[in-house]
Amino acid sequence: MLRLLRDRRIAGLAAAGFLAEVGDWMLLIALPLHVLALTGSPLITATVFVLGLAPTVVAGPLAGVLIDRSEPWKIMAIVAGLQVLCLTPLLAVDDASDLWILYTVVVVESVLGTIIEPCRATTAAASVPANRLAEVNQLMGVLSSMARLLGSPLGGLILASGGFDAIVYANAGTFLAAAVVFSIGARTRRAAPIGTRPPGATSPWTDLVEGLGITARTPALRQVMAITAVIALAQGAFVLLFVLFVTRELRGTETDVGLLRGVQAIGALLGGVLLGLIIHRIPPRQLISGSLAVFGALSLAIWNLPALTTSMPLYIGLFILVGAPGVTLMTGMLTVLQTSCTPSARGRVLSTYFALYGAMQALGTLIAGFLGTGTGLTIGLQIQGTLYFAAALMALRLRTPPASPGVPLR
């Protein structure tokens, strides 16, 4: 896995992605705590997440068209720079009356993220032979886990010690560093668009419709999208229910919230190392279904344990375990998506995946906002854990494409 970093393209993508994701995790931990502190309302907190996810539904497919027709490094450099600028208005959010500023920033940052995330995944896939796609996905997953391991505790600590403004400055710094790395890549690589089609060959609308049609006609892609919808619904609920669970059921602090989200990365790192030993022996279908089953079992165990104990060391251990199936699940999902379409359509297919994920995650978060008070919290936690088992059963029927030959993709 680490030998992939000898490739300067992969190393650049990995470094920039790691820097940006550290900042993302700091903000992801701090934002719900900040909004909850300003408003005291789980529903308003959920609404903020929904506003951040909803734009991906529209922007996702359009971003895929842009990705398939453009030079990727230049796009990523520009987008990362815009992410820095668009964070600064958050410094003006002092009380609940300023939430409209926060809403606007969240929407804009969501649109920008909708462009850069599938662009990174598509560029990485186009940089390795077909038989090494799983390896590069594994590497990116491990680095994402490392970013979580660093960013999540930092988010809780910085919020507790320096306030929300300090989080904004730190997040802007990581985006700026990522923009610099992408800019270096844009200057040193005279790459063509990711896809094989000339940018002006067809209209953007035609490309958009074609990309959606490819996803709808391909059995493996249809199945992955259905599985994704269920997973995203569960994950959307988790984003809010987790914060409520830690602060109310475990009587935890802001630092505890960041710590428990962060330690999942330890399990993900261990899972990533283990996956490297067996990645060529397990079909993606089994990798996905097995990961989801473990996710469901651990989730339900965690949600129901407060009836017996609220010992924080025990929950730290359980959340470490939760991280392992996360990296294996994402590796399996991305590999199926990348191998089930042509390189010229990858940007649109991956963007459709992220758009669907965002839409269903928004729905899950909104539902959690309604359930997040009183006995509704307990019910919501049980439903959230059970959804992973439903997705695992769906994955058992996944019809994956045959193994790809070990030839370059472009």
Side-chain angles (χ1 to χ4, degrees):
M1 178 181 65
L2 293 178
R3 60 185 174 177
L4 289 169
L5 294 175
R6 297 173 187 171
D7 186 322
R8 294 179 64 186
R9 298 168 297 178
I10 299 298
L13 287 170
F18 175 79
L19 290 166
E21 288 191 57
V22 168
D24 283 340
W25 276 106
M26 287 192 292
L27 190 62
L28 183 62
I29 293 300
L31 191 61
L33 291 168
H34 186 59
V35 174
L36 195 59
L38 290 177
T39 66
S41 170
L43 182 57
I44 294 177
T45 305
T47 303
V48 173
F49 281 113
V50 171
L51 285 173
L53 294 168
T56 64
V57 181
V58 176
L62 296 174
V65 174
L66 177 66
I67 292 166
D68 283 336
R69 296 163 66 96
S70 306
E71 202 287 298
W73 290 91
K74 185 178 294 185
I75 291 177
M76 291 185 287
I78 292 172
V79 170
L82 290 174
Q83 285 178 308
V84 176
L85 294 176
C86 293
L87 277 175
T88 55
L90 288 178
L91 298 172
V93 178
D94 296 320
D95 53 49
S97 65
D98 298 324
L99 283 181
W100 68 271
I101 300 174
L102 186 145
Y103 292 157
T104 303
V105 172
V106 166
V107 169
V108 173
E109 289 288 348
S110 174
V111 172
L112 294 174
T114 299
I115 298 172
I116 203 166
E117 289 305 318
C119 192
R120 280 179 53 214
T122 305
T123 306
S127 302
V128 298
N131 64 335
R132 300 190 70 185
L133 280 175
E135 284 186 72
V136 77
N137 291 332
Q138 176 199 7
L139 173 64
M140 296 302 175
V142 168
L143 289 173
S144 292
S145 300
M146 292 177 65
R148 174 190 289 192
L149 183 61
L150 178 60
S152 295
L154 274 178
L157 289 171
I158 292 174
L159 181 64
S161 60
F164 190 67
D165 286 0
I167 290 288
V168 176
Y169 286 122
N171 195 185
T174 60
F175 281 153
L176 180 60
V180 170
V181 176
F182 286 136
S183 297
I184 294 172
R187 288 197 299 269
T188 57
R189 298 166 179 81
R190 303 300 179 187
I194 293 173
T196 58
R197 177 182 312 182
T202 56
S203 70
W205 174 253
T206 300
D207 284 356
L208 173 62
V209 173
E210 181 187 61
L212 295 174
I214 290 171
T215 303
R217 291 191 305 268
T218 307
L221 293 179
R222 286 200 310 269
Q223 290 176 298
V224 168
M225 295 301 173
I227 295 167
T228 297
V230 178
I231 296 172
L233 192 66
Q235 188 59 29
F238 172 83
V239 169
L240 180 61
L241 294 177
F242 166 77
V243 175
L244 298 175
F245 174 78
V246 176
T247 56
R248 297 181 181 179
E249 298 294 315
L250 301 183
R251 308 297 181 189
T253 65
E254 296 169 340
T255 302
D256 292 327
V257 172
L259 176 63
L260 290 177
R261 286 304 299 268
V263 296
Q264 294 178 49
I266 298 175
L269 291 172
L270 296 175
V273 172
L274 177 62
L275 182 61
L277 302 176
I278 60 176
I279 195 168
H280 297 296
R281 306 175 190 174
I282 302 179
R285 177 179 63 185
Q286 295 179 13
L287 194 63
I288 294 170
S289 61
S291 299
L292 287 167
V294 174
F295 244 136
L298 288 172
S299 295
L300 290 177
I302 290 170
W303 301 148
N304 289 285
L305 265 179
L308 300 176
T309 178
T310 58
S311 172
M312 191 59 66
L314 175 61
Y315 287 92
I316 290 173
L318 287 171
F319 273 96
I320 288 174
L321 293 177
V322 167
V327 68
T328 56
L329 173 62
M330 184 56 68
T331 296
M333 296 284 280
L334 285 178
T335 301
V336 173
L337 288 168
Q338 292 163 341
T339 56
S340 298
C341 63
T342 61
S344 61
R346 277 205 187 109
R348 285 165 287 169
V349 168
L350 286 170
S351 293
T352 300
Y353 162 78
F354 283 111
L356 176 63
Y357 196 98
M360 296 306 294
Q361 192 174 7
L363 178 60
T365 304
L366 193 58
I367 293 173
F370 284 105
L371 295 175
T373 56
T375 58
L377 176 59
T378 301
I379 295 172
L381 291 171
Q382 308 311 310
I383 295 173
Q384 192 271 346
T386 303
L387 284 173
Y388 289 122
F389 283 110
L393 292 175
M394 294 169 65
L396 289 175
R397 300 175 59 85
L398 182 60
R399 295 159 57 188
T400 56
S404 302
V407 296
L409 297 173
R410 66 168 188 166

